[in-house]
């Protein structure tokens, strides 16, 4: 995995050792020897991760961390604090200041490299979501993200009651009553996939049901849509370096010793939960933005960007199955006069009502889209000429039969003209979908010129 990693250490030997290890793993190491240099390099180079020594000549590493988190350009860069001190207060202070992890020297190479790979994957995934969200916001297709407080749902999965109860007591600060203790079967049950019931974070006993049981459960959870993006923390009673490295490489957000203090566990779980919920919000925003990109905001129908590729897919399926489909191009008659007489608010009300009447009177498999100002496209898969004509005439009648009520209290009746074309794949030279669409469009022009409020069938090229 390529990535630019900033090494911050005042001891040249330490910097060189880290540089050699990182370069051997195909990372791009850059170096700084003090806090000021770290802050400058972080702004200029924009590294993907920072390895920050806790003791620097000009300021403590934690103060550097606080300044990194205070600046918009650097606040989202993952930071791992490296310390020779075993004082637990230092690690707690680092986590409170925003460190993504705190590692105590000497650090096993396997654990260090696995943790770096893990953090870089998480950072890259969030950064990609953030870039997509920013792009959609620039296009006016998504709202800016608001701040939020971490309030999530944590569960503990363990078959050892003594450990489960201790971990539960230590998570009271995260949610009232602490985390809920559940079994492996409950963790995989469909009930947890219900909206609002899927946990944000799973705290899993690494030896659940025997050695390697926690990793197997994590793999199951990562394979399911409802829990794929959940935070997962593995707690090891007797952790070995290879166990921790494997857990990180398989997708754990954290792999920790089971004897971790309650305060540290709480801080670490809060960080996992915050990143998980940020990812959820970004994914939801991107999904909403993508949906807005293919939805007409006024009528709620699909727009032209979505409709034409979908029409092509309907055509391809019909040709493969040797079935027929129909295309209608529908236009509201004399719509300009509606806008002239009742204003754009009145015109919008007419568009919304006509769109609703069309959508409510078609099959779920049918496509209906707004493709122009007052023009709609309807595609009917698996249908013959007689049924397609009957459907088109029914839509004509449904639009005309009831007046449309306008925002100012007035009402008016409108009609539509429809051009209809049905595919014909039985010839030696079957039509392209664009030709079928063009037939319907030309038929619409004939319907408009011939008196409006009618259905005209487009003549086949055959």
């Amino acid at each position: 995995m390529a990535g630019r990693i900033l090494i911050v250490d005042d001891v040249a030997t330490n910097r060189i050792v880290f540089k050699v290890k990182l370069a051997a793993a195909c990372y791009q190491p850059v170096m700084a020897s003090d806090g000021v240099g770290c802050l400058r390099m972080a702004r200029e180079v924009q590294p993907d991760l920072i390895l920050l020594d806790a003791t620097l000549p000009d300021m403590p590493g934690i103060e550097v961390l606080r300044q990194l988190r205070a600046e918009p350009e650097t606040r989202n860069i993952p930071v791992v604090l490296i310390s020779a001190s075993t004082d637990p207060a230092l690690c707690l202070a680092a986590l409170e200041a925003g460190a993504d992890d705190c590692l105590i020297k000497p650090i096993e190479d396997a654990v260090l490299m696995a943790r770096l790979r893990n953090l870089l994957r998480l950072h890259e995934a969030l950064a990609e979501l953030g870039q997509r969200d920013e792009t959609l916001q620039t296009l006016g297709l998504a709202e800016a993200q608001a701040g939020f407080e971490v309030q999530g749902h944590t569960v503990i999965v363990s078959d050892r009651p003594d450990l489960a109860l201790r971990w539960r007591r230590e998570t009271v600060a995260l949610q009232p009553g602490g985390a809920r203790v559940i079994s492996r079967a409950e963790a995989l049950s469909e009930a947890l996939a219900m909206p609002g019931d899927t946990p944000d974070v799973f705290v899993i006993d690494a030896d659940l049901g025997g050695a390697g049981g926690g990793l197997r459960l994590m793999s199951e959870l990562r394979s399911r849509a409802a829990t794929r993006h959940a935070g997962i923390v593995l707690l090891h009673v007797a952790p070995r370096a290879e166990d921790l490295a494997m857990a990180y490489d398989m997708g754990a957000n954290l792999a920790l010793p089971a004897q971790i203090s309650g305060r540290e566990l709480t801080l670490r779980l809060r960080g996992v939960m915050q990143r998980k919920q940020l990812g959820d919000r970004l994914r939801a925003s991107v999904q909403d933005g993508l949906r807005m990109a293919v939805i007409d905001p006024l009528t709620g129908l699909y727009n032209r960007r979505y409709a034409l590729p979908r029409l092509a897919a309907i055509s391809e399926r019909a040709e493969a199955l040797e079935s027929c489909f129909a295309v209608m191009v529908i236009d509201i008659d004399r719509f300009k006069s509606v806008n002239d007489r009742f204003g754009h608010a009145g015109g919008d009300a007419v568009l919304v009502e006509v769109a609703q009447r069309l959508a409510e009177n078609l099959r779920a498999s049918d496509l209906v889209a707004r493709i122009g100002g007052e023009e709609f496209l309807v595609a009917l898969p698996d249908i013959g000429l007689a049924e397609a004509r009957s459907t088109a005439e029914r839509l004509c009648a449904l639009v005309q039969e009831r007046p449309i009520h306008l925002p100012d209290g007035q009402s008016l009746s409108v009609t539509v003209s429809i051009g209809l074309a049905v595919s014909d794949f039985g010839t030696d030279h079957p039509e392209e979908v664009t030709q079928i669409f063009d037939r319907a469009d030309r038929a619409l022009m004939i319907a408009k010129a011939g008196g409006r409020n009618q259905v005209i069938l487009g003549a086949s090229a055959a």
Side-chain angles (χ1 to χ4, degrees), residues 2-15:
R4 186 180 292 109
I5 298 179
L6 174 58
I7 303 163
V8 187
D9 198 306
D10 64 325
V11 179
T13 303
N14 292 341
R15 295 197 300 272

Side-chain angles (χ1 to χ4, degrees), residues 145-203:
Q145 293 296 312
F148 65 98
E149 295 183 4
V150 179
Q151 295 180 344
H153 179 191
T154 302
V155 295
I156 295 167
V157 190
S158 177
D159 51 12
R160 293 189 270 195
D162 55 334
L163 287 177
L165 291 175
R166 179 168 70 81
W167 294 336
R168 184 174 186 270
R169 286 195 302 270
E170 292 169 349
T171 59
V172 170
L174 286 175
Q175 60 194 65
R180 185 163 55 95
V181 179
I182 62 174
S183 67
R184 182 184 188 280
E186 290 172 318
L188 296 173
S189 70
E190 290 300 318
L192 290 176
M194 297 296 290
D197 197 30
T198 305
D200 293 289
V201 178
F202 289 84
V203 178

Side-chain angles (χ1 to χ4, degrees), residues 323-394:
S323 63
C324 293
F325 72 97
V327 175
M328 300 181 206
V329 182
I330 304 174
D331 189 86
I332 301 175
D333 295 327
R334 297 186 174 87
F335 184 72
K336 183 179 182 302
S337 67
V338 174
N339 277 331
D340 291 343
R341 181 179 174 189
F342 299 100
H344 288 289
D348 288 350
V350 169
L351 286 168
V352 169
E353 180 63 24
V354 169
Q356 185 175 346
R357 293 184 190 183
L358 295 176
E360 288 178 348
N361 289 279
L362 292 167
R363 303 169 300 181
S365 60
D366 297 335
L367 165 68
V368 56
R370 182 185 177 200
I371 59 171
E374 65 268 24
E375 194 167 82
F376 301 88
L377 170 69
V378 170
L380 310 172
D382 304 313
I383 198 169
L385 174 58
E387 188 179 355
R389 185 192 289 273
S390 174
T391 300
E393 290 172 348
R394 177 167 53 84

Side-chain angles (χ1 to χ4, degrees), residues 195-442:
D197 197 30
T198 305
D200 293 289
V201 178
F202 289 84
V203 178
I204 302 174
D205 186 341
D207 296 320
L208 180 70
L215 284 176
R216 288 190 290 274
L217 174 59
M218 180 177 72
S219 295
E220 288 278 359
L221 294 172
R222 289 285 185 240
S223 71
R224 301 189 177 200
T227 52
R228 181 168 300 142
H229 301 294
I232 296 181
V233 177
L234 287 177
L235 297 183
H236 298 73
V237 172
R240 301 175 302 167
E242 55 265 36
D243 295 332
L244 299 177
M246 183 178 293
Y248 281 129
D249 279 335
M250 288 183 65
N253 296 82
L254 285 173
L256 303 168
Q259 296 75 24
I260 187 172
S261 72
R263 178 60 180 159
E264 183 175 347
L265 179 60
T266 296
L267 286 171
R268 288 183 177 275
L269 289 179
R270 182 175 285 122
V272 170
M273 189 176 294
Q274 187 170 16
R275 283 188 289 274
K276 188 268 179 183
Q277 293 180 343
L278 173 60
D280 286 347
R281 290 175 63 128
L282 287 172
R283 274 185 291 274
S285 180
V286 169
Q287 284 297 109
D288 287 345
L290 292 173
R291 180 180 177 276
M292 289 172 65
V294 298
I295 295 295
D296 172 51
L298 177 63
T299 64
L301 300 180
Y302 289 115
N303 61 19
R304 191 182 191 93
R305 181 184 289 124
Y306 175 89
L308 296 184
R310 171 73 184 281
L311 179 60
I314 290 171
S315 176
E316 289 173 6
R317 176 181 176 275
E319 185 171 6
L321 297 177
E322 297 184 350
S323 63
C324 293
F325 72 97
V327 175
M328 300 181 206
V329 182
I330 304 174
D331 189 86
I332 301 175
D333 295 327
R334 297 186 174 87
F335 184 72
K336 183 179 182 302
S337 67
V338 174
N339 277 331
D340 291 343
R341 181 179 174 189
F342 299 100
H344 288 289
D348 288 350
V350 169
L351 286 168
V352 169
E353 180 63 24
V354 169
Q356 185 175 346
R357 293 184 190 183
L358 295 176
E360 288 178 348
N361 289 279
L362 292 167
R363 303 169 300 181
S365 60
D366 297 335
L367 165 68
V368 56
R370 182 185 177 200
I371 59 171
E374 65 268 24
E375 194 167 82
F376 301 88
L377 170 69
V378 170
L380 310 172
D382 304 313
I383 198 169
L385 174 58
E387 188 179 355
R389 185 192 289 273
S390 174
T391 300
E393 290 172 348
R394 177 167 53 84
L395 293 177
C396 244
L398 284 166
V399 172
Q400 183 185 23
E401 70 180 7
R402 296 194 322 271
I404 295 174
H405 299 289
L406 304 181
D408 63 1
Q410 299 184 73
S411 62
L412 78 160
S413 294
V414 298
T415 61
V416 294
S417 298
I418 300 179
L420 172 66
V422 178
S423 65
D424 183 3
F425 295 120
T427 65
D428 293 335
H429 302 286
E431 290 179 289
E432 298 288 338
V433 66
T434 53
Q435 295 173 300
I436 300 169
F437 178 87
D438 287 344
R439 280 203 288 121
D441 197 40
R442 288 195 299 271

